[in-house]
Amino acid sequence: MSAVRAAGAVDTFRLGAVIITMGNRPAELNALIQSVLDQQGPAVELAVVGNGAPLPPLPAGVRTAELPENLGIPGGRNVGIELFGPNGRDVDAVLFLDDDGRLPLTDSATLLREAFTADPHLGIVSFRIADPDTGETARRHVPRLRASDPLHSSPVTTFLGGASAVRSTVFEQAGQLPADFFYAHEETDLAWRALDAGWSIDYRADIVLHHPTTSPARHATYFHNVARNRVWLARRNLPAPLVPLYLCTWILLTLVRRPSGEALKAWWGGFREGWRTPCGQRRPMQWRTVWRLTRLGRPPVI
């Protein structure tokens, strides 16, 4: 491909950004929207979803939806995807951005267009999350086991939901986010299905989202959802022999981390609920996908 044709493909690659909000961060939401509008190159289209909350005044041209109830993070993002047409087909890739985040660099959209057009098999890009005050990236925000160097980009097996971009074709082939998860592990569920469909996922350290460093573990519901959704994730996606191996590994890891008594009680309650309630459609990944995950450094038993 000539340089002119390559540049043309980049310029015509359409990006849309989905932001869900509970209406409690109006200043942060406005700052995020402005950082999207400030991106170089063709405009990134915007879709904002009020997840059980009314929306504040927004710039002209923003696609909007006000939901009567909170559908959770994956449910709200799925509504945002559909604001760009069925499975987001009005754009070529959909960005998911947390409403208290901000794109500090103006070339992020350009880097995404270049990445997606250079690699037709690239399905998902995970951004680097950095604290706006310290510039540091928390270890849990690097979506791989070897997370000591957050400035190192690499292929990965999952992604960060509030700082990511997904090619719209992925939704058509692998489905959207699992709305019943409400929050926790919905990204891994989509990532595994995307990898099983032949797509790749990249962590890009040069595409940055500023986001305050907070701990989701401050709420008991976090431990409940993490455990329940971990079971659902395994039941939905793993070959039968790997389901007990995966879940036993995570039981051991949870105990080693020594959560508080209240947290552990919530975790076990979620774990039991994950077995007792429907997990949605079961589509076990192919064994070649298991091997691919293993070669990427994260076999689906951890």
Side-chain angles (χ1 to χ4, degrees), residues 25-241:
R25 298 167 176 158
E28 292 89 340
L29 175 62
N30 287 332
L32 171 61
I33 289 174
Q34 189 59 53
S35 74
V36 175
L37 296 176
D38 288 343
Q39 291 298 302
Q40 302 168 8
V44 178
E45 297 192 47
L46 276 161
V48 181
V49 177
N51 211 0
L55 291 173
L58 297 168
V62 176
R63 309 183 191 204
T64 62
E66 289 188 352
L67 306 180
E69 61 178 315
N70 181 1
L71 298 183
I73 293 173
R77 286 180 178 149
N78 287 345
V79 171
I81 293 169
E82 292 296 304
L83 289 175
F84 293 116
N87 286 319
R89 69 178 55 167
D90 292 351
V91 293
D92 297 303
V94 175
L95 284 71
F96 295 128
L97 303 172
D98 278 349
D99 69 342
D100 56 345
R102 183 177 64 85
L103 297 171
L105 307 173
T106 59
D107 65 346
S108 297
T110 299
L111 292 174
L112 284 171
R113 292 189 180 96
E114 290 174 349
F116 280 119
T117 54
D119 182 359
H121 299 292
L122 178 62
I124 302 174
V125 175
S126 189
F127 311 164
R128 180 168 65 90
I129 294 178
D131 186 275
D133 297 323
T134 66
E136 295 182 356
T137 297
R139 187 180 182 90
R140 66 184 179 85
H141 285 152
V142 183
R144 59 178 180 244
L145 291 179
R146 296 179 179 178
S148 59
D149 183 6
L151 298 182
H152 172 63
S153 299
S154 70
V156 289
T157 62
T158 188
F159 65 100
L160 305 169
S164 60
V166 182
R167 195 186 293 266
S168 300
T169 314
V170 170
F171 302 127
E172 295 180 12
Q173 295 184 3
Q176 298 181 8
L177 295 159
D180 288 344
F181 281 37
F182 202 80
Y183 76 83
H185 303 318
E186 68 271 9
E187 302 95 344
T188 300
D189 187 87
L190 176 57
W192 282 0
R193 287 183 279 118
L195 289 164
D196 199 47
W199 297 99
S200 61
I201 306 171
D202 279 356
Y203 167 71
R204 288 286 299 262
D206 56 341
I207 303 176
V208 181
L209 183 84
H210 273 176
H211 188 281
T213 300
T214 57
S215 172
R218 62 191 184 277
H219 303 301
T221 53
Y222 165 82
F223 292 97
H224 176 275
N225 280 27
V226 161
R228 181 198 64 189
N229 295 357
R230 183 80 71 183
V231 177
W232 282 353
L233 177 69
R235 290 174 59 198
R236 285 163 58 92
N237 295 288
L238 291 181

